[in-house]
Amino acid sequence: MYTTKDGLLNNNIHVMAIDASDDIWIGTDYGVSKFDGMKWTTYTEVNGLDIASVYAIAIDSKGNKWFGTSTGLLKLTGDN
């Protein structure tokens, strides 16, 4: 079990998804955490994403990540 002590953005998890590279995407109250098996990456307003609570994550056939948030729908292409 991972927590903020390990690198998770927030302990209140709403959704998880796994992409084609086996990276784990976790939607929380404060944005998204990605875990690649070795390191954590976070996606928040600091990264330029207008993310509040993330309640849904979908990954399309091109590898784009779609986040259903409390403020709307966001698309992450690569790291943008």
Side-chain angles (χ1 to χ4, degrees), residues 62-74:
K62 295 180 181 179
N64 298 311
K65 283 66 174 182
W66 295 84
F67 304 129
T69 76
S70 58
T71 58
L73 181 66
L74 298 168

Side-chain angles (χ1 to χ4, degrees), residues 16-75:
M16 294 173 50
I18 299 174
D19 67 17
S21 299
D22 288 330
D23 294 338
I24 303 169
W25 295 81
I26 303 168
T28 74
D29 277 344
Y30 301 134
V32 175
S33 290
K34 178 183 87 169
F35 184 59
D36 68 5
M38 301 279 291
K39 70 173 186 159
W40 291 91
T41 304
T42 59
Y43 298 87
T44 66
E45 292 173 352
V46 173
N47 306 96
L49 296 177
D50 185 21
I51 293 182
S53 296
V54 176
Y55 297 108
I57 299 174
I59 303 168
D60 67 23
S61 61
K62 295 180 181 179
N64 298 311
K65 283 66 174 182
W66 295 84
F67 304 129
T69 76
S70 58
T71 58
L73 181 66
L74 298 168
K75 177 183 173 185

